[in-house]
Amino acid sequence: DTGVSQDPRHKITKRGQNVTFRCDPISEHNRLYWYRQTLGQGPEFLTYFQNEAQLEKSRLLSDRFSAERPKGSFSTLEIQRTEQGDSAMYLCASSPPLAGSSGANVLTFGAGSRLTVL
Amino acid sequence: GQNIDQPTEMTATEGAIVQINCTYQTSGFNGLFWYQQHAGEAPTFLSYNVLDGLEEKGRFSSFLSRSKGYSYLLLKELQMKDSASYLCAVKFSGGYNKLIFGAGTRLAVHP
């Protein structure tokens, strides 16, 4: 397994266009997370999937954002009608099934998809 | 809120020791992680603390005091390749294991 893969690595688009990012997690990981990171800041949580179920969404995730994980494997994050404020690095992370309530359950991150909205 | 505070920037000399502090809200605390992130790359896991005390891993150690809502990452025998951002992240109970990150500390190691 080569870790968490994200595609595309870079996307430049014009304001108002739709973009879609794909994440392929580590194969035995059933938990998948999307984060957004802007320059000089830490990653901000967007949404969480356990298998195919989207169990949590941040208030940061406006109606223009939608995420899916149809078969509990790869996930997509779509941004409709992009705005300049959407410019950021979109990070995907995955983790294995929870090993107890206090388990480390480390998140493994992909290299991210960098979005630039002109 | 779940504010996680860490210094914005630090500088240190090659071969020296540096300590990066992190404070967080104690309510609902369920584990603290440190990640390293080089510019343009993915965050990579360094350490995990859930009980009070020091966890040592080679040149890196991490300390936790749950009652004080405080952690630090200690980097020894600094190398130039340690120049990176160091992210403190907290797992809170009831949060589906998601991590809440601080803004990160950019460490510059100079000769």
Side-chain angles (χ1 to χ4, degrees), chain A residues 35 56 102-105 107, chain B residues 33 35 37 48 91 97-99:
Chain A
Y35 282 80
E56 189 171 357
S102 298
N105 210 250
L107 270 63
Chain B
F33 297 73
Y35 278 78
Q37 187 176 29
Y48 170 69
K91 181 173 63 167
N97 202 52
K98 73 174 185 283
L99 300 183

Side-chain angles (χ1 to χ4, degrees), chain A residues 31 33 35 37 40-43 45 48 55-56 101-107 110, chain B residues 30 33 35 37 40 42-43 45 48 87 91 95-99 101-103 106:
Chain A
R31 295 166 175 252
Y33 309 78
Y35 282 80
Q37 186 176 27
Q41 297 299 313
F45 170 77
Y48 163 70
L55 297 183
E56 189 171 357
S101 61
S102 298
N105 210 250
V106 174
L107 270 63
Chain B
N30 198 23
F33 297 73
Y35 278 78
Q37 187 176 29
F45 170 73
Y48 170 69
L87 301 164
K91 181 173 63 167
Y96 292 113
N97 202 52
K98 73 174 185 283
L99 300 183
F101 284 84
R106 284 194 304 279

Side-chain angles (χ1 to χ4, degrees), chain B:
Chain B
Q2 297 172 322
N3 287 347
I4 297 165
D5 294 316
Q6 48 182 134
T8 304
E9 291 183 356
M10 300 183 71
T11 59
T13 305
E14 196 174 14
I17 298 173
V18 71
Q19 178 176 311
I20 303 174
N21 297 325
C22 172
T23 58
Y24 61 88
Q25 173 199 305
T26 57
S27 174
F29 173 82
N30 198 23
L32 187 142
F33 297 73
W34 285 95
Y35 278 78
Q36 179 191 60
Q37 187 176 29
H38 284 98
E41 297 183 11
T44 55
F45 170 73
L46 289 178
S47 68
Y48 170 69
N49 295 71
V50 68
L51 300 176
D52 291 349
L54 190 68
E55 294 284 339
E56 297 188 77
K57 245 192 212 182
R59 294 190 298 114
F60 292 6
S61 304
S62 57
F63 171 83
L64 177 69
S65 168
R66 289 173 295 171
S67 62
K68 295 181 180 177
Y70 168 70
S71 172
Y72 67 72
L73 179 70
L74 194 71
L75 292 75
K76 304 175 187 175
E77 300 168 15
L78 281 172
Q79 302 174 9
M80 299 296 289
K81 68 178 183 179
D82 297 330
S83 294
S85 284
Y86 291 86
L87 301 164
C88 174
V90 176
K91 181 173 63 167
F92 292 95
S93 57
Y96 292 113
N97 202 52
K98 73 174 185 283
L99 300 183
I100 306 299
F101 284 84
T105 300
R106 284 194 304 279
L107 174 67
V109 180
H110 55 83

Side-chain angles (χ1 to χ4, degrees), chain A residues 8-50:
Chain A
R9 292 292 312 276
H10 303 274
K11 177 72 176 178
I12 300 173
T13 192
K14 293 183 179 178
R15 185 164 50 94
Q17 297 295 304
N18 299 344
V19 297
T20 299
F21 302 117
R22 176 181 170 122
C23 171
D24 287 272
I26 293 171
S27 57
E28 59 268 27
H29 287 185
N30 68 332
R31 295 166 175 252
L32 186 146
Y33 309 78
W34 284 98
Y35 282 80
R36 178 172 67 189
Q37 186 176 27
T38 53
L39 198 62
Q41 297 299 313
E44 295 175 295
F45 170 77
L46 293 178
T47 191
Y48 163 70
F49 289 86
Q50 185 168 313

